[in-house]
Amino acid sequence: MLVGIAQQRASVAADAVVIDSVVLRPLVEAEVPARQTGVLASIAVEEGASVQAGDLLASLDDRAAKLAVAKAELERAQVHAKATNELRIEYADKALEVARAEMMRSSESNDKFARSISQSQLDVERLTVEKLELERRQAEHDLEIDRFELQLKENAVETAKLDLDLHGVRAPFAGVVALVRGRAGEWVEPGAPVLRLVAVDRLRAEGFAPASILGKVAVGSRATFAASRDNDAVSAAGGVEGVLKFISPEIDPVTSQVRVWAEIDNRQGELRPGEHGELKLQTTEAN
């Protein structure tokens, strides 16, 4: 490893630093895992396929999860019917209205004709009104409990839908399928890698430069990568533009070099991860 580093070269001019033996690596890559336990039902993409963030890459057997969603939705509908049914309160209001009217008529009758209604009858009617008032409050309380239960059922539906969604393996970012690891019919556990996904629109040009560049180049300055092709001859096409993103704060004590990398714009698809070439960095004197 140290021999390889020692062989790297860099030339420093007034306006640029050129680093040889730079390697392109993916800036974003991932081993996309299964998110649930189960049988891998299908692989939706092939190696080399371009995908967008959120695209379905593979699916686990989700029949049980779909039934769970259907059950949760039926239970929600049942509780929704109870939580939106105010007939109990309306009935209590009507019964209370009749009882109060009856008690008022009895009271008015006694005012006109003394002792026309017995005190025990008045007590019964008053007790009936109080009972119906309590029943109305109980109906309101029951309706409030039903509404709380409806919220729980709403959460249960969302949980079931999330579990169903987790049976799909989806692309976390836009990229190219570099490797399909899983096979239909295999049993997988959460975290088991199913596919390898690589973003190729932005690449990382990484190499080592002499510590003498410190103070001459700065993070954020312009960088240009030129691939070495045709028997290691550096491409004369002018290279692909990028931005210097990192200069290591550590100097290797053996080689007196620092690790640097630049982000290269590869939206045109001119470059591939793994290619070698040279990286030209603009110096602070050229700014």
Side-chain angles (χ1 to χ4, degrees), residues 92-105 129 132:
D93 284 338
K94 282 294 183 183
L96 187 57
E97 181 182 345
V98 171
R100 284 172 174 168
E102 184 67 25
M103 187 175 67
M104 184 174 295
R105 281 194 295 269
V129 169
L132 291 174

Side-chain angles (χ1 to χ4, degrees), residues 15-17 216-218 221-223 280-284 286-287:
D15 62 342
V17 173
K216 296 179 180 178
V217 297
S221 60
R222 190 176 66 189
K280 183 178 180 180
L281 305 176
Q282 187 179 40
T283 63
T284 53
N287 292 333

Side-chain angles (χ1 to χ4, degrees), residues 38-206:
V39 175
L40 196 58
S42 64
I43 304 291
V45 294
E46 297 179 347
E47 291 180 352
S50 296
V51 299
Q52 298 299 315
D55 283 355
L56 184 66
L57 306 179
S59 298
L60 277 67
D61 186 344
D62 59 3
R63 289 173 294 178
K66 286 179 178 177
L67 289 174
V69 171
K71 178 184 177 183
E73 288 178 337
L74 284 173
E75 291 177 349
R76 178 183 61 183
Q78 183 181 38
V79 175
H80 181 270
K82 292 173 60 180
T84 56
N85 183 7
E86 297 188 358
L87 288 176
R88 289 169 292 176
I89 294 178
E90 293 176 5
Y91 175 81
D93 284 338
K94 282 294 183 183
L96 187 57
E97 181 182 345
V98 171
R100 284 172 174 168
E102 184 67 25
M103 187 175 67
M104 184 174 295
R105 281 194 295 269
S106 296
S107 179
E108 290 175 349
S109 178
N110 262 2
D111 290 342
K112 292 181 180 179
F113 308 101
R115 298 183 180 179
S116 59
I117 305 296
S118 67
Q119 184 60 44
S120 60
Q121 179 64 26
L122 290 173
D123 290 342
V124 168
E125 292 176 356
R126 184 165 48 253
L127 181 60
T128 300
V129 169
E130 292 174 354
K131 176 186 175 184
L132 291 174
E133 287 175 342
L134 290 174
E135 288 179 352
R136 189 192 187 284
R137 289 169 58 187
Q138 182 64 48
E140 288 180 335
H141 177 72
D142 290 344
L143 187 62
E144 185 178 5
I145 294 299
D146 289 339
R147 287 170 178 167
F148 280 126
E149 187 177 358
L150 178 59
Q151 293 179 13
L152 290 175
K153 295 300 182 182
E154 294 278 5
N155 290 341
V157 169
E158 293 304 314
T159 299
K161 287 182 176 179
L162 175 60
D163 180 69
L164 176 60
D165 182 68
L166 291 177
H167 281 71
V169 179
R170 298 187 177 276
F173 52 83
V176 175
V177 178
L179 179 64
V180 176
R181 298 188 184 278
R183 296 293 181 269
E186 291 181 342
W187 180 266
V188 294
E189 299 285 344
V194 178
L195 305 101
R196 175 173 168 76
L197 188 64
V198 176
V200 295
D201 59 336
R202 293 179 300 147
L203 297 176
R204 171 176 171 150
E206 185 173 358

